[in-house]
Amino acid sequence: MTRVRAALPLALAGGLALAACSAKGASTASSSTSTLPPLPKNVVALVSLAGSGADVGSGNEVVPITLPSGAGTGPSATGGSGSQAVGGKIRVGTYPDAIAISPDGKTAYVADYSSNSVVPVNLRTDRAGAPIPAGLGPADIAISPDGKTAYVTDDGSSTTLGHTVTPIDLATGRAEKAIVVGPGPQGIAISPDGRTAWVADAGAIVAGQRGPAGHTVTPIDLATGRAEKAIDVGNGPTGIAISPDGSTVFVTNLDSESVTPISTATRTALPAIGVPGGPVAVVVEGGHAWVVDTPSSTHQGNNVVAISLTGLRESPPTPVGKGAQDIAFTPDGKTAWVTCLTAGTIVPIDAATRRAGVAISVAGGPFAIAITQIGS
């Protein structure tokens, strides 16, 4: 649902030439050559800027951030070694609220809520491509495992409640026939086998929209493009994620202060798991579902809770910054990064210790986040 760069590039262009030279006193008739090892890949977070303060919703940029190595690790969780490189801002559409990265890691696709579009960003050049028209109010985006199709939830506008998912052919950059789902679709996730998309039908949770809060998750058969029978969950479902084996879907119920696991085999909801706040985002990594909580009527929120995939029990919350919004993991699965809209930061969490590390300041209202590796 869901970024400063000037000092260091995300990717190194060209090669590194070595001049052969002779040691003093050695014969020039013989020489030796050496080959440098491949340069390490940078771990890069692409963070959307939604605007801050009274201007939330007016942002129209994303920013790549080369993350510090070892961030959030160690007993003190002080940020590890290395330093971050915050890149230059990349212009996209208005209110970029979700980001998905292609399976090959070359392109990020940014869903822009107020521009009704998806903007591709070349992660090697940091250049945005032409906007792709989508449905009304793109709220989230997921890409099929084969990298051919992006699926975008159409939440609607501040006055109109959406009820569709728009597939986009990424080869042609064209939207295909929309798929009707429940009201106010927010989060979307695709099963590892690429057969099913799972959509959180949040209902009227955006100010100005008319209607009740939603309480269902709709599976979509991607082979036929048809929605299947909706599954009842908690109120205001927003974020959604799937376990690596595809057996369980986790959905965050914003208005119920809970997370509902869904068995994909039986298409039934399991007992909800209470969390300390209004959960908005979830990601599955390392045997846990990691949930971002915002403030609720009974909890202060702004924390992350890890739910075990086996015991379905939550851990004590890890506090982060104000306005916690989205979460993504580094490719090695060791560190989660959380965007904090109000605080203007992204915060690392050590997955092993569940302790927060040193935050990185990101001006402009950090909202959505996606992480990949870039380099040789």
Side-chain angles (χ1 to χ4, degrees):
M1 55 164 50
T2 70
R3 312 195 183 246
V4 186
R5 163 193 183 88
L8 298 177
L10 293 187
L12 298 176
L16 179 63
L18 294 179
C21 58
S22 301
K24 185 177 180 179
S27 170
T28 59
S30 63
S31 64
S32 62
T33 60
S34 62
T35 302
L36 289 178
L39 293 172
K41 292 184 177 181
N42 290 327
V43 177
V44 176
L46 194 68
V47 180
S48 75
L49 305 178
S52 57
D55 293 326
V56 171
S58 65
N60 58 2
E61 296 166 319
V62 295
V63 62
I65 302 172
T66 302
L67 299 175
S69 59
T73 61
S76 61
T78 57
S81 60
S83 60
Q84 77 275 7
V86 182
K89 295 174 182 177
I90 304 166
R91 185 75 172 264
V92 291
T94 305
Y95 203 166
D97 62 348
I99 303 173
I101 295 177
S102 60
D104 62 10
K106 295 180 179 180
T107 309
Y109 292 89
V110 183
D112 305 307
Y113 184 83
S114 296
S115 293
N116 303 323
S117 64
V118 171
V119 174
V121 175
N122 185 316
L123 294 178
R124 268 52 179 176
T125 65
D126 288 347
R127 293 182 178 178
I132 302 170
L136 182 64
D140 199 8
I141 181 170
I143 299 175
S144 59
D146 62 10
K148 294 181 178 180
T149 309
Y151 293 87
V152 184
T153 56
D154 307 319
D155 176 70
S157 67
S158 59
T159 58
T160 303
L161 189 61
H163 56 84
T164 57
V165 170
T166 297
I168 295 176
D169 185 323
L170 296 181
T172 65
R174 295 180 179 177
E176 300 177 340
K177 183 180 179 181
I179 303 166
V180 176
V181 292
Q186 286 275 334
I188 184 170
I190 297 176
S191 60
D193 61 13
R195 295 180 180 179
T196 309
W198 297 82
V199 181
D201 307 317
I205 64 171
V206 174
Q209 291 179 338
R210 295 183 178 180
H215 56 85
T216 59
V217 166
T218 299
I220 299 174
D221 184 328
L222 296 182
T224 64
R226 294 180 179 178
E228 300 178 342
K229 183 180 179 180
I231 301 165
D232 284 334
V233 291
N235 292 328
T238 53
I240 197 163
I242 303 176
S243 60
D245 63 3
S247 65
T248 310
V249 171
F250 292 87
V251 58
T252 62
N253 305 312
L254 177 65
D255 294 339
S256 293
E257 299 183 2
S258 66
V259 173
T260 297
I262 297 174
S263 167
T264 60
T266 62
R267 303 292 174 98
T268 56
L270 303 177
I273 302 164
V275 293
V280 291
V282 59
V283 64
V284 176
E285 180 63 46
H288 293 83
W290 301 78
V291 180
V292 178
D293 286 332
T294 58
S296 67
S297 59
T298 58
H299 295 90
Q300 65 180 9
N302 294 319
N303 56 59
V304 172
V305 174
I307 297 174
S308 168
L309 300 189
T310 52
L312 296 181
R313 295 179 180 178
E314 72 276 17
S315 69
T318 300
V320 290
K322 291 184 178 180
Q325 289 292 326
D326 201 6
I327 184 170
F329 264 85
T330 53
D332 62 10
K334 294 182 179 180
T335 308
W337 286 85
V338 182
T339 56
C340 301
L341 176 69
T342 307
T345 59
I346 60 173
V347 178
I349 296 177
D350 186 316
T353 65
R354 296 179 191 147
R355 299 170 73 177
V358 176
I360 297 175
S361 295
V362 183
F367 198 84
I369 184 171
I371 299 177
T372 189
Q373 283 185 312
I374 299 177
S376 59

